[in-house]
Amino acid sequence: MTAACQATTSDGVELAYADIGTGPVVTLVHGFPLDRSMWDEQVAALAGTYRVIAPDLRGFGQSGIGPDDARNGVPMERYAADLVAVLDAAGVREPVVLAGFSMGGYVAWQFALRTPERLRALVLSDTRAAADPPEAAANRRAMAERVLAENSPAAAEGMISKLLAPATLAAGLPAVARVTAMIRGASPAGIAAAQIGMAVRPDVRDRLGEIVCPALAIVGAEDAISPPAEMRELAAALPQGRFVEVPMAGHMAPLENPAAYNAALLDFVGRAV
Ligand code: MLT
């Protein structure tokens, strides 16, 4: 069963999400500046056994965006509240397994800390618990201004070389074309909103002990944005944290090595539900 659905948030933004399969709910939250299609391989692997709910965050994919979001930014807390609105609209009352990739992980922290009763287990994929240092935050604001001034996502294309492992880029694997297409399809408003939101995201490192559900930290072995050593540390700080490194993958491990990624994900979800 495949369904593309819409939810409306408390501030009137229309959010699109995929709702596929039946069974315990697994929710997949994409990264920046991407959309829910980044999870296609994971949806295919999960949907035979689970109900998979994969939203487009506001400003990305087929979701709308608020009139002031591009200028003011969307805090990670707002995206997390949007996620609750999606689950409510889908009629999901039971706690879910939530997997957040990179920026989706920043959102997942807020979901876990603010609505722990909605959470059964947490997957942190290629993400960070630390906030941005001032220089990184300034770079985000600069990109936000540029995409809005140029009315184009082109300024975000420079990220591709950091998102993918050198071997993925050199071999021209399908992940390269997919990631490029997602970035080129992103809206300037969505990019600006997320960059400003990420620039002010809270540092959650000293709150990881509060997240007591089973948790999997999973990362591409060559991730240059959220390196394995940092994610190993993060897993150790989570009371029920496990750590898995995906070989032959950079930051975009779910696309670069879906076979290894999915094996770890299915094993974790199977134990958690
Ligand atoms: C992502 O993949 O979501 C981004 O790399 C996150 C970030 O820019 O910190």
Side-chain angles (χ1 to χ4, degrees), residues 17-255:
Y17 62 98
D19 185 352
I20 301 166
T22 55
V25 176
V26 181
T27 302
L28 305 174
V29 187
H30 66 78
F32 169 88
L34 310 170
D35 59 61
R36 70 184 195 245
S37 73
M38 69 154 279
W39 293 115
D40 282 353
E41 282 85 356
Q42 287 67 48
V43 173
L46 290 162
T49 316
Y50 305 101
R51 180 177 176 191
V52 184
I53 296 189
D56 282 330
L57 294 174
R58 68 167 62 202
F60 294 97
Q62 295 171 307
S63 286
I65 188 165
D68 302 323
D69 286 345
R71 280 284 155 215
N72 295 344
V74 175
M76 301 301 110
E77 294 86 340
R78 175 72 251 184
Y79 291 121
D82 288 353
L83 216 47
V84 172
V86 165
L87 294 174
D88 286 347
V92 174
R93 292 277 167 257
E94 83 261 24
V96 303
V97 178
L98 176 62
F101 170 81
S102 199
M103 183 177 89
Y106 310 155
V107 177
W109 294 130
Q110 295 307 317
F111 185 96
L113 291 168
R114 296 160 75 87
T115 47
E117 72 283 358
R118 307 290 294 252
L119 191 64
R120 187 192 289 253
L122 189 59
V123 179
L124 290 321
S125 178
D126 304 270
T127 194
R128 310 188 64 201
D132 279 348
E135 193 191 332
N139 288 339
R140 291 192 190 279
R141 291 183 187 283
M143 188 198 285
E145 276 174 28
R146 200 168 145 202
V147 291
L148 290 177
E150 295 174 352
N151 193 27
S152 159
E157 277 187 47
M159 288 181 65
I160 293 171
S161 59
K162 282 189 94 178
L163 291 172
L164 297 161
T168 306
L169 289 160
L173 295 181
V176 182
R178 280 181 59 198
V179 170
T180 306
M182 278 188 267
I183 295 178
R184 289 188 179 155
S187 79
I191 291 173
Q195 283 288 44
I196 297 167
M198 285 192 283
V200 297
R201 73 183 190 279
D203 191 318
V204 296
R205 283 176 296 180
D206 61 358
R207 299 197 62 191
L208 298 182
E210 295 172 41
I211 301 173
V212 294
C213 65
L216 171 67
I218 180 167
V219 63
E222 294 164 65
D223 189 332
I225 295 174
S226 39
E230 189 177 322
M231 287 213 63
R232 191 186 287 276
E233 231 172 79
L234 172 166
L238 290 161
Q240 288 202 67
R242 292 172 53 195
F243 175 77
V244 170
E245 197 170 293
V246 179
M248 292 182 294
H251 187 61
M252 299 284 328
L255 279 87

